[in-house]
C-alpha cells in the first residue's frame, strides 16, 4: 500500500471523508486527460502523488493530486497492443486477445480498484489475468462486485467490506469496476455523451 494511504484513519466513514478531496481531484485529472484524448493505462496508487501546499503560517493546507508515469499512455480510442498496467488494476477486457478494448473504460476500472485499495487499505484481488488463479477476482466476476463486498472481510474476522464502506462508495465501486465495459461508469467525458 502506498505511503499516502497509510497515513489516513482506519477503513470506514472517517477514511472515506479524508479520501474525498483526493478522489475528486484524481477523477478530475483523469477526466481531463480523457478529454485531451489521452488514456493513462497505468493508474495505480503508486502513480498518484500528493503535493501539500501550505498557506501563510501553515494555515489552509491544501493537497494537490499529481498523476505520474505516462509511459503506457495511449492516444488511441481502441487498443489491441497488449495488456498495460499492474495486474490487480487491469480491466478484464484487456485480456481478451481477439478484441480491442476502450482504454478510457479500462482507466475507469483502474480508478475503481485504486479507490477500493485506498479506502480498504488492501487490494480487492491480486490479478485479473484469467490464468493467474486469483480466486477473489473469479468470485467477483461470477457473483458480481456487490456480492463480493458482502462476503469479503476487512480483516480475517472483521466486518465485511459492504458493512465498512458507505452505500455511496459501494455503488460507485460497483459501477467503476463493472466486469462488462459497456455497463461501466464513465467520468462524464464528452466522448461518452
Amino acid at each position: 500500500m502506498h505511503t499516502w494511504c497509510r497515513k489516513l484513519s482506519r477503513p470506514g466513514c472517517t477514511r472515506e471523508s479524508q479520501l474525498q478531496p483526493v478522489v475528486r481531484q484524481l477523477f478530475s485529472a483523469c477526466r481531463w486527460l480523457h478529454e485531451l484524448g489521452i488514456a493513462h493505462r497505468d493508474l495505480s496508487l503508486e502513480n498518484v502523488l500528493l503535493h501539500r501546499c501550505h498557506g501563510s503560517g501553515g494555515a489552509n493546507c491544501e493537497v494537490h493530486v499529481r498523476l505520474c508515469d505516462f509511459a503506457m499512455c495511449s492516444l488511441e480510442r481502441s487498443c489491441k497492443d497488449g495488456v498495460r498496467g499492474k495486474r490487480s488494476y487491469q480491466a478484464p477486457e484487456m485480456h481478451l486477445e481477439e478484441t480491442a478494448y476502450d482504454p478510457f473504460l479500462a482507466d475507469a476500472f483502474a480508478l475503481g480498484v485504486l479507490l477500493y485499495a485506498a479506502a480498504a487499505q488492501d487490494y480487492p484481488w491480486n490479478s485479473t489475468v484469467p490464468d493467474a488463479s486469483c480466486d477473489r477476482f473469479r468470485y467477483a466476476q461470477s457473483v458480481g462486485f456487490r456480492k463480493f463486498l458482502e462476503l469479503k472481510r476487512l480483516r480475517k474476522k472483521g466486518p465485511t467490506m459492504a458493512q465498512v464502506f458507505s452505500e455511496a462508495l459501494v455503488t460507485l465501486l460497483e459501477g467503476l469496476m463493472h466486469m462488462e465495459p459497456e455497463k461501466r461508469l464513465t467520468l462524464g467525458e464528452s466522448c461518452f455523451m
Side-chain angles (χ1 to χ4, degrees):
M1 199 56 48
H2 204 267
T3 359
W4 66 264
C5 281
R6 286 190 207 128
K7 297 178 181 180
L8 302 175
S9 63
R10 297 172 64 88
C13 294
T14 304
R15 187 176 182 89
E16 285 183 37
S17 305
Q18 293 169 328
L19 284 170
Q20 279 182 2
V22 171
V23 171
R24 260 191 238 105
Q25 289 182 59
L26 184 58
F27 280 34
S28 177
C30 195
R31 179 180 176 176
W32 183 72
L33 282 175
H34 289 179
E35 292 290 358
L36 292 173
I38 302 168
H40 191 280
R41 298 200 308 167
D42 193 17
L43 293 169
S44 65
L45 287 173
E46 296 81 4
N47 291 336
V48 174
L49 304 175
L50 300 186
H51 175 71
R52 292 193 190 279
C53 296
H54 299 284
S56 59
N60 301 325
C61 179
E62 291 183 29
V63 173
H64 296 280
V65 171
R66 306 275 193 260
L67 289 176
C68 66
D69 192 359
F70 288 85
M72 295 186 197
C73 74
S74 175
L75 301 175
E76 301 296 323
R77 189 56 205 270
S78 180
C79 292
K80 198 174 179 177
D81 63 344
V83 180
R84 300 289 189 255
K86 294 161 190 72
R87 288 179 148 213
S88 54
Y89 294 90
Q90 295 167 348
E93 66 270 15
M94 295 173 85
H95 303 290
L96 303 174
E97 292 178 18
E98 66 278 357
T99 59
Y101 66 91
D102 183 331
F104 293 7
L105 292 173
D107 276 357
F109 186 89
L111 279 174
V113 175
L114 191 157
L115 179 55
Y116 177 99
Q121 293 182 295
D122 191 13
Y123 291 100
W125 39 70
N126 296 326
S127 176
T128 63
V129 178
D131 61 356
S133 299
C134 184
D135 294 336
R136 289 183 286 172
F137 181 71
R138 273 201 310 273
Y139 184 76
Q141 262 186 317
S142 67
V143 300
F145 194 71
R146 184 173 289 268
K147 186 73 172 166
F148 170 78
L149 291 179
E150 290 171 0
L151 294 175
K152 181 157 177 14
R153 299 214 172 266
L154 178 60
R155 306 284 184 262
K156 288 185 179 184
K157 297 183 189 237
T160 67
M161 298 315 296
Q163 294 168 324
V164 173
F165 291 163
S166 67
E167 177 57 29
L169 179 57
V170 169
T171 302
L172 178 60
L173 291 172
E174 184 178 34
L176 288 171
M177 290 194 281
H178 202 290
M179 299 299 167
E180 298 174 48
E182 62 278 358
K183 295 181 180 176
R184 196 169 295 148
L185 287 179
T186 67
L187 303 174
E189 303 94 332
S190 57
C191 60
F192 290 112
M193 299 292 182

